[in-house]
Amino acid sequence: QWDPNMPEDRNTIVHLFEWKFSDVAAECERFLQHKGYGGVQLSPVNENAIVTDPWRPWWERYQPISYILQTRSGNEAEFADMVARCNAVGVRIYIDIILNHMTGRGGIATGTAGSWADTYNRDYPSVPYTYLDFNPVCDITDWNDPWQLRQCMLANLNDLNQGNEYVRDRLVDFLNTLIHHGVAGFRVDAAKHMWPEDMRAIFNRVNDLNVNHGFAPNTRPFVYQEVINFSDNEAVTWRDYSGLGRVTEFRHSSEIGRVFRGHDRLVWLDSWGTGWGFMDSNYAFVFVDNHDNQRGHGAGGDSILTYKQSKQYKMATAFMLAHPYGSTRIMSSFAFDDSEAGPPADSNSNIISPGINADDTCSNGWVCEHRWRQIYNMVGFRNAVKGTTIQNWWTNGDQQIAFCRGNRGFVAFTQGGSISQTMQTCLPAGTYCDVISGNLINGDCTGKSVTVDSSGNGYIVLNQNEEDGVLAIHVGKQL
Ligand code: ARE
Ligand code: CA
């Protein structure tokens, strides 16, 4: 389904890339619930092949060897504890599921739960799968051939046959185990490489969400499918998948990067969404960057913004969250130079927990974009303006824009020149704290504030040399 199954007053999934379950549980309790985040996307949770060349890259987790819940993030007991604790504070859990394939095809592999596989002969005894459960060996050589995309190996990964009843049973069992533990939905890895009718058959057999975790009876899991599709002329498009659930809108990621890198003008953002060729908002799953394209894997190339361009990244994220288009996800990274490098780990290759600094930021190699004030406060903005539309669109005709979200929020952006003028904010009279330059703490705003008069007008100051080119006020943060 297309609804993320979050509490009413929440939105936005944060991808806590490669985090350990115990750290995720703590983060739900100490931070995410208080900032209004609706959910967490985990890295794949089932056993993966251990890759040693290069040493323990992040991408080893995309090579399943069994459906045992044991990875470097933790085991099944820790998983169960995490889901229960996050659900208890209204933060939902979404799992990155790999249904398309198992490990790469090579020699003998061992996994993070101690399983063994003969990957050349496609023998995975811990499931068990044999060569009969896979599609005949072939490589994807023609990316315009829909048959090859589904039936051949993506990046030399042993390609499961989802048309096979036995395979379907194994996949359904795996998903039902996750649902039993209380998850709210799934990110479907490499959905483009599976036939939509096979996916439908599998998801039709998956249980409703677990009512013991606070889901209403008959609630179906949220599904968002990874389909990279830039043009309607491609062999496979989002339309093939939108009947089952949401679909990743990669054009959103690359276009928002182009715009806030200054390669396009803010004035054109008035038609953001289908006006830019994107899929319908109701089907779209959107983000500024993901775990692939932030490091040059996947798609989007040089236009993608990441934490490394912090000012532009915060502006792009603020625009995504201020705009009603799509269902949103925030990336939370570990710092990297090497695009293959795995998460911060000790000498035994155990993942190191993020340290938490007094100013809410992280240490030990974790970037924690989701803890940046400008980002978590815009998650709060999106909660406050839920259900409203864009009104009073304003622009200087070039690199400055501003708009209202109903009579609940107002936001202004500049990436060229300063703004200093009276604007219609659409808000009730009062003084509001700009959640970009500061926080509202004990009734005081640590940043700029805006006084709105009884006709909704406020004097907006946003200088081009400020730390962030955004100002955002909403009804939830009034002095
Ligand atoms: C690794 C090695 C490979 C090796 C393989 C098997 O890098 O050299 O052959 O192992 O031994 C991730 C990494 C891969 C990694 C893989 C398995 O990115 O490098 O391979 O894990 O460990 C296409 C797919 C899309 C996919 C992207 C990466 O359509 O589904 O490629 N994205 C997902 C995940 C990835 C993950 C996988 C799938 C595999 O998000 O993290 O791979 O589980 C155009 C096309 C797109 C295409 C894109 C890039 O835009 O339209 O369809 O995306 O180019 O090729
Ligand atoms: Ca396939």
Side-chain angles (χ1 to χ4, degrees):
Q1 71 163 40
W2 305 263
D3 181 295
N5 300 316
M6 291 170 184
E8 265 309 295
D9 59 347
R10 303 281 175 94
N11 79 88
T12 300
I13 291 172
V14 53
H15 182 193
L16 296 179
F17 182 47
E18 292 265 18
W19 279 45
K20 287 188 291 186
F21 300 149
S22 53
D23 294 326
V24 172
E27 192 69 352
C28 287
E29 293 171 345
R30 73 190 162 203
F31 190 80
L32 299 177
Q33 63 159 326
H34 302 298
K35 303 304 181 193
Y37 282 97
V40 176
Q41 178 185 315
L42 303 177
S43 289
V45 298
N46 57 307
E47 180 180 17
N48 62 267
I50 293 174
V51 173
T52 52
D53 183 20
W55 188 258
R56 309 306 303 266
W58 62 271
W59 45 258
E60 70 169 37
R61 294 185 73 156
Y62 290 88
Q63 300 200 21
I65 193 165
S66 82
Y67 300 111
I68 299 168
L69 302 186
Q70 189 172 332
T71 61
R72 282 207 283 177
S73 286
N75 61 28
E76 185 161 6
E78 290 160 329
F79 178 77
D81 177 66
M82 167 195 65
V83 184
R85 286 165 62 190
C86 289
N87 278 333
V89 296
V91 180
R92 298 311 193 184
I93 298 290
Y94 305 87
I95 310 298
D96 193 347
I97 52 169
I98 303 158
L99 310 182
N100 179 60
H101 54 264
M102 299 296 280
T103 65
R105 187 152 188 249
I108 302 298
T110 52
T112 49
S115 295
W116 171 96
D118 176 349
T119 69
Y120 185 79
N121 291 307
R122 296 180 291 172
D123 194 18
Y124 294 84
S126 289
V127 179
Y129 284 139
T130 67
Y131 69 98
L132 295 168
D133 301 314
F134 293 85
N135 289 317
V137 172
C138 54
D139 291 318
I140 300 174
T141 52
D142 178 1
W143 285 74
N144 285 314
D145 180 348
W147 188 89
Q148 278 194 21
L149 287 174
R150 273 56 174 264
Q151 298 289 121
C152 295
M153 293 186 294
L154 165 66
N156 199 41
L157 296 155
N158 279 328
D159 202 54
L160 280 169
N161 176 4
Q162 294 84 17
N164 173 321
E165 279 303 312
Y166 175 80
V167 172
R168 287 182 179 179
D169 283 343
R170 298 290 71 72
L171 298 176
V172 170
D173 283 353
F174 169 50
L175 300 183
N176 280 340
T177 299
L178 299 175
I179 286 175
H180 164 77
H181 284 306
V183 309
F186 306 106
R187 176 233 184 223
V188 185
D189 184 71
K192 183 181 186 175
H193 304 280
M194 296 182 280
W195 295 105
E197 52 271 32
D198 287 341
M199 289 182 48
R200 181 171 291 283
I202 290 164
F203 280 98
N204 278 347
R205 274 155 58 179
V206 159
N207 293 337
D208 292 336
L209 298 186
N210 188 340
V211 291
N212 299 326
H213 283 264
F215 298 105
N218 309 316
T219 304
R220 300 300 295 160
F222 178 45
V223 171
Y224 54 110
Q225 306 161 89
E226 190 225 8
V227 178
I228 302 178
N229 164 218
F230 281 89
S231 118
D232 286 349
N233 301 324
E234 288 175 43
V236 171
T237 74
W238 63 272
R239 291 176 206 277
D240 302 321
Y241 294 89
S242 57
L244 185 66
R246 287 190 186 252
V247 181
T248 51
E249 180 47 280
F250 276 82
R251 287 169 291 202
H252 179 284
S253 173
S254 62
E255 292 297 324
I256 210 167
R258 280 187 55 243
V259 170
F260 287 95
R261 280 177 180 274
H263 301 325
D264 211 328
R265 294 196 296 159
L266 300 191
V267 58
W268 306 124
L269 291 175
D270 62 341
S271 60
W272 189 245
T274 49
W276 282 58
F278 305 166
M279 68 184 80
D280 292 349
S281 179
N282 294 341
Y283 298 137
F285 187 82
V286 299
F287 42 90
V288 174
D289 61 333
N290 79 348
H291 73 279
D292 285 326
N293 67 16
Q294 72 169 187
R295 47 175 50 73
H297 284 236
D302 292 342
S303 29
I304 304 304
L305 283 169
T306 75
Y307 74 88
K308 296 183 185 195
Q309 300 82 35
S310 61
K311 178 174 182 174
Q312 291 97 323
Y313 188 74
K314 287 179 282 182
M315 291 180 71
T317 304
F319 181 76
M320 174 181 80
L321 292 170
H323 198 284
Y325 183 79
S327 181
T328 49
R329 177 180 62 197
I330 300 295
M331 180 70 207
S332 186
S333 316
F334 56 81
F336 65 91
D337 293 317
D338 171 2
S339 66
E340 316 289 326
D346 65 19
S347 55
N348 295 318
S349 293
N350 294 315
I351 296 176
I352 300 172
S353 298
I356 306 295
N357 301 320
D359 66 356
D360 282 337
T361 60
C362 291
S363 60
N364 295 347
W366 299 92
V367 181
C368 293
E369 294 91 320
H370 71 287
R371 282 176 160 269
W372 294 1
R373 180 187 67 238
Q374 297 85 344
I375 291 179
Y376 67 70
N377 273 342
M378 287 307 294
V379 172
F381 179 100
R382 195 173 183 82
N383 286 334
V385 304
K386 195 168 184 171
T388 66
T389 56
I390 290 178
Q391 282 162 22
N392 291 70
W393 182 275
W394 171 90
T395 176
N396 71 341
D398 190 10
Q399 292 286 21
Q400 301 177 357
I401 55 167
F403 58 91
C404 304
R405 287 293 305 273
N407 58 1
R408 301 186 59 80
F410 167 86
V411 66
F413 293 81
T414 177
Q415 62 177 10
S418 299
I419 298 177
S420 174
Q421 69 185 79
T422 298
M423 289 191 185
Q424 177 56 248
T425 68
C426 313
L427 295 178
T431 302
Y432 297 87
C433 184
D434 166 29
V435 298
I436 300 295
S437 60
N439 264 321
L440 185 61
I441 296 173
N442 299 329
D444 288 325
C445 184
T446 61
K448 299 187 290 185
S449 51
V450 177
T451 300
V452 174
D453 68 20
S454 56
S455 54
N457 287 318
Y459 196 71
I460 305 302
V461 179
L462 184 57
N463 291 319
Q464 68 170 354
N465 58 6
E466 283 185 45
E467 185 187 346
D468 305 295
V470 191
L471 176 146
I473 54 180
H474 65 82
V475 289
K477 297 287 180 192
Q478 200 175 344
L479 272 75

